[in-house]
Amino acid sequence: MMQLARLVLLATAFAVATFALGWWAVPLVAAGYAAITTAQRGSAILSGVAAMLGWGALLAITASRGPVGTLAAELGGVLQLRPIGVYAVTIAFPGLLAISAAVVARALASARS
């Protein structure tokens, strides 16, 4: 239960930080969380999943307000992807970014100790 609460709070932090500061807030939040939880196993994976959930929520909110499907079709044509591929890449990007930043931050925090 505690892990689920941590996931929801972290996903909310990723969504709010991304909305306020842009995509580069993802590695900052992930690195901050990893530095705080260096003793916990799986914190990098939790960061990645939470980042994907946070961006998924932002994508859902944006989709309810405008023609995201049209944008995905046009961008998919440029990238030679189907619209579902554009959504998959959009959701995978913050997850991979968060995992990378968390692993680096955790290694740096462990090296300092």
Side-chain angles (χ1 to χ4, degrees), residues 13-90:
F14 277 114
V16 169
T18 299
F19 182 77
L21 304 173
W23 70 267
W24 57 271
V26 171
L28 295 177
V29 172
Y33 180 71
I36 292 170
T37 61
T38 54
Q40 287 182 342
R41 293 186 56 189
S43 63
I45 299 296
L46 184 70
S47 290
V49 171
M52 291 189 305
L53 287 173
W55 273 42
L58 288 176
L59 184 61
I61 291 168
T62 304
S64 70
R65 292 185 180 171
V68 174
T70 305
L71 175 64
E74 290 295 322
L75 189 56
V78 171
L79 298 174
Q80 297 179 349
L81 290 173
R82 292 185 177 175
I84 192 72
V86 175
Y87 296 132
V89 169
T90 301

Side-chain angles (χ1 to χ4, degrees), residues 90-110:
T90 301
I91 298 300
F93 174 69
L96 295 172
L97 193 60
I99 289 172
S100 300
V103 167
V104 169
R106 189 173 182 181
L108 290 174
S110 295

